[in-house]
Amino acid sequence: MSTVLPENSIARWLLVFVLIAAIYFFSGFVVPVLAALIIGFASWPLYERLLNQCHRNNVMAATIALLIILTVLVIPIALAFSYAIEEIKIWVEWLVIANREGAAAPEWIGALPGVGEWLTHYWNENLANPHDLGELVQLFSGEHIGNIYRWLLALSGKAFGLILTLLFMLITLFFIYKDGLRLIAQVDKVGDRILPIHWQRFSRVVPATVSSTVTGMGLIALGEGVVLGVAYAIAGVPSPVALGVLTGFLALVPGGAPLAFTMVSLYLVGSGDTVAGIGLFIWGSVELFIVDKTLRPRLVGGPIKLPFLPTFFGLIGGVKTMGFVGLFVGPVLMAILIAIWKEWLHHIDNSSRSEEDL
C-alpha cells in the first residue's frame, strides 16, 4: 500500500512547512470556519433532503439552505445579542455605582421566604461598603468591574469585525453545502490510507456524534432561552432579553435552565409579585418536563451521550479559548474524544473475542 506523505524527505519537510505556514496565516479564520463546519455537520441530514428536493442541484440547494440559516438562526441570534448587550450595560453601570458608593441589600432579597433575613445580613456585612462589590466580582470573574464595562463598550463598537466574521462563516458554510459530498469523498480516501482498519466505522461515528451534540445542546438551549425569555417578559421581569440569553447559555449545562428560572421566580416572589413568581416557576417546570421527556430524546440521537463532566470541561475550555463559538466547539471536541475512546475499546473487545475464538 502506498503512503500518504511523499517518500522523499525534502518533500515531506516542505509539506510540513507549508502546513505550518497555512495555519499561521489563516489562524484568524479558524473560528468562522469551525462555526460553519459545526452548523454544516448538524444540519447535513436536513440538507440532504433539500438537495433531493432540488433534483441534486447543489448550487440551488446550498443557496436555499444558506438563506434559511440566515433567516432562522443568524439574524434572530444577532438581534437578541444586541438587545442583551444593551441590557447588560445597564447592569454593569449599576454595579459600578454600587461598588463606588456601596449598596445595601435590596428589599426583594429581604422578602425572600426562609432565606431573606440571612441573605440580607450577609449582603450588608460583606457588600454594603464601597468597593466590596468589586472585590466579589473580581473573585468570581478575575476582572475588575471597570474592565468588564470597557469590554462591553468595545464589544458593541466592534460591529464591523463581527459582521466580517459572520460573512466569512456564511461563505464557508455555502461551500460546505455546495461541495460537501465531494469533500467527504476526498476525506474518506485519505482516511482509508491513514486508518485502514478503523476509518469506515470512525467516519460514521464522528459526524453522528457532532450532529447529535450540537443538535441536542444547541437547539434545546436556544429553544429554552427563547421560551423562558418570553415568559420573563410576560411576568414583568426587568431585562428579559438578557435573562433569556443567560438562561440559554445555562441550559447548555445540565441543570442550568432550572437554576435560572428558579432564581428569577424567587426574585419575583421577593419583589412582591408572588403570583407571577409561582406562575413562572410552574411554567418553567412544565416546559422542562416536556423538553426532557419528549423533545430531547428525539433530537439527541447519535452514538455518544456526553456526561456532565466532559460537557462542563468542554464548555469552559471552549469559551476560554474561542469565545462564543467555543460553547459548541469545546463539547464537540470532547464528544469526538469520547467517540475515539469508545472506538478504541470496541476494537480491543473485538480483538479479545477473536483471540478467545482461536
Side-chain angles (χ1 to χ4, degrees), residues 138-341:
Q138 186 178 5
L139 177 64
F140 282 97
S141 67
E143 293 285 347
H144 294 285
I145 292 179
N147 292 342
I148 296 174
Y149 185 60
R150 285 190 290 271
W151 178 81
L152 284 172
L153 292 177
L155 181 63
S156 60
K158 292 180 179 178
F160 179 75
L162 295 174
I163 292 174
L164 199 60
T165 301
L166 182 62
L167 180 62
F168 287 145
M169 186 203 75
L170 292 175
I171 292 173
T172 305
L173 183 60
F174 173 80
F175 284 99
I176 288 174
Y177 284 141
K178 175 179 173 292
D179 301 321
L181 294 175
R182 189 183 311 166
L183 180 61
I184 290 171
Q186 294 174 358
V187 171
D188 281 339
K189 186 181 297 185
V190 175
D192 284 331
R193 294 290 185 89
I194 298 175
L195 299 171
I197 299 176
H198 303 281
W199 181 255
Q200 288 302 318
R201 176 178 167 82
F202 185 72
S203 62
R204 292 193 300 269
V205 169
V206 170
T209 299
V210 174
S211 180
S212 64
T213 302
V214 175
T215 301
M217 295 179 59
L219 290 184
I220 291 176
L222 180 63
E224 289 188 350
V226 171
V227 171
L228 290 173
V230 172
Y232 296 156
I234 294 173
V237 180
S239 306
V241 178
L243 289 174
V245 172
L246 180 61
T247 301
F249 282 143
L250 290 175
L252 293 169
V253 181
L259 175 64
F261 70 73
T262 300
M263 295 301 294
V264 177
S265 300
L266 288 174
Y267 163 78
L268 288 172
V269 172
S271 300
D273 203 344
T274 306
V275 175
I278 295 175
L280 177 62
F281 182 78
I282 294 174
W283 168 252
S285 302
V286 171
E287 180 266 341
L288 189 67
F289 177 82
I290 294 173
V291 168
D292 286 342
K293 297 301 180 183
T294 59
L295 296 180
R296 194 182 298 273
R298 292 177 179 271
L299 290 176
V300 185
I304 302 297
K305 304 294 189 299
L306 269 182
F308 172 80
L309 196 59
T311 302
F312 180 75
F313 284 156
L315 287 170
I316 300 302
V319 171
K320 186 176 180 181
T321 306
M322 295 184 176
F324 173 70
V325 177
L327 283 171
F328 301 98
V329 174
V332 163
L333 290 178
M334 294 301 294
I336 291 175
L337 287 175
I338 293 177
I340 295 172
W341 176 257

Side-chain angles (χ1 to χ4, degrees), residues 9-25:
S9 60
I10 296 178
R12 288 183 180 182
W13 282 110
L14 181 60
L15 178 61
V16 170
F17 173 76
V18 171
L19 289 175
I20 294 175
I23 292 173
Y24 174 77
F25 284 107

Side-chain angles (χ1 to χ4, degrees), residues 76-88:
I77 289 179
L79 291 175
F81 266 90
S82 64
Y83 281 110
I85 288 174
E86 293 302 320
E87 292 178 354
I88 291 173

